[in-house]
Amino acid sequence: MTSTDSAQTPAKAPAKDPWDLPDVSGLVVGVLGGTGPQGKGLARRLAMAGQKVIIGSRAAERARAAAEELGDGVEGADNAETARRSDIVIVAVPWEGHGKTLESLRAELAGKLVVDCVNPLGFDKKGAYALKPEEGSAAEQAAALLPDSRVTAAFHHLSAVLLLDPEVERIDTDVMVLGEDRADVETVQALAGRIPGMRGVFAGRLRNAHQVESLVANLISVNRRYKAHAGLRITDV
């Protein structure tokens, strides 16, 4: 290569730092199923970190009562209003009502960043076991039902007990985040990082959500054996 050739070759842009995440502090976060333990715990931690949070329920009165209990500026509303007023919507409803709830909110969730954290599980005498939805996972079901939303998956492996415990100041765990769009995934990673001790880690596209959702069955077994509230840490990242 001559010096002239070298001068004409454009310099390669440096690789983006995967930990260079956006500022999400000004975004409004809605939590569908915010009166249940997981949703309420997430709402509490995000509000404590300074995020504006609205919790949703089928009954607005129930949501408002739960919001008043949480404090930190949390508001309560019915699911439809919560979806309309939020920039990011976390889906933390029971698996049994997952599809029906999302289908009923398709219009309100259009254009929203949706974060599905639902774990399809069954229980019998042997304990918890993973269910596989027809679409492949809860997150893929959400994507199929919400064609005008940007669906991601995250927050599956968090202990509601720790999230709600006022004595616990840090939640030392990693959050596996899945999605199709890098910017959306990074937004969710940044949201997870707002909670002290927590870190959001990219873990693939939505087609890989099933095994992430299913892992909760294993964590339930761990918790029962060791009387713990186990989470995950990704090493060497």
Side-chain angles (χ1 to χ4, degrees):
M1 181 183 289
T2 67
S3 57
T4 303
D5 293 332
S6 178
Q8 292 175 345
T9 303
K12 214 173 185 181
K16 183 181 182 295
D17 181 353
W19 297 112
D20 180 15
L21 300 174
D23 178 8
V24 297
S25 59
L27 299 180
V28 178
V29 178
V31 184
L32 304 182
T35 58
Q38 186 183 27
K40 193 174 181 181
L42 272 170
R44 176 177 180 269
R45 292 290 168 170
L46 289 168
M48 287 173 62
Q51 208 76 35
K52 175 59 187 173
V53 177
I54 307 170
I55 58 175
S57 176
R58 284 177 297 177
E61 298 81 9
R62 188 179 175 199
R64 284 194 284 268
E68 187 175 345
E69 180 186 339
L70 288 176
D72 287 309
V74 177
E75 293 185 43
D78 63 36
N79 283 331
E81 182 182 344
T82 298
R84 281 193 298 269
R85 292 178 55 196
S86 302
D87 302 303
I88 303 175
V89 180
I90 297 173
V91 181
V93 299
W95 165 241
E96 293 73 19
H98 181 264
K100 187 175 180 181
T101 298
L102 295 185
E103 196 169 18
S104 71
L105 296 171
R106 183 176 293 165
E108 290 83 359
L109 290 170
K112 307 288 184 177
L113 174 52
V114 174
V115 186
D116 200 296
C117 67
V118 174
N119 303 302
L121 295 176
F123 295 87
D124 60 18
K125 291 181 180 179
K126 295 182 180 180
Y129 60 94
L131 303 175
K132 189 158 189 179
E134 183 180 343
E135 297 85 355
S137 64
E140 288 170 294
Q141 183 184 87
L145 291 172
L146 304 172
D148 298 319
S149 303
R150 293 133 49 213
V151 176
T152 60
F155 300 118
H156 300 92
H157 307 133
L158 304 181
S159 163
V161 172
L162 295 183
L163 290 171
L164 289 167
D165 189 341
E167 301 298 318
V168 175
E169 296 182 0
R170 293 172 55 86
I171 307 292
D172 289 313
T173 191
D174 285 335
V175 171
M176 300 176 78
V177 184
L178 303 96
E180 301 302 318
D181 182 88
R182 178 178 291 187
D184 290 338
V185 168
E186 290 181 347
T187 295
V188 180
Q189 286 181 261
L191 186 66
R194 296 273 289 159
I195 300 174
M198 200 174 288
R199 185 177 66 156
V201 180
F202 170 67
R205 294 178 179 268
L206 288 186
R207 68 181 183 180
N208 291 319
H210 171 65
Q211 57 264 37
V212 173
E213 297 169 0
S214 301
L215 189 57
V216 172
N218 302 90
L219 290 178
I220 290 172
S221 297
V222 170
N223 290 337
R224 287 182 173 173
R225 173 63 62 90
Y226 298 102
K227 311 298 183 206
H229 303 292
L232 295 180
R233 274 295 191 205
I234 310 298
T235 62
D236 199 32
V237 175

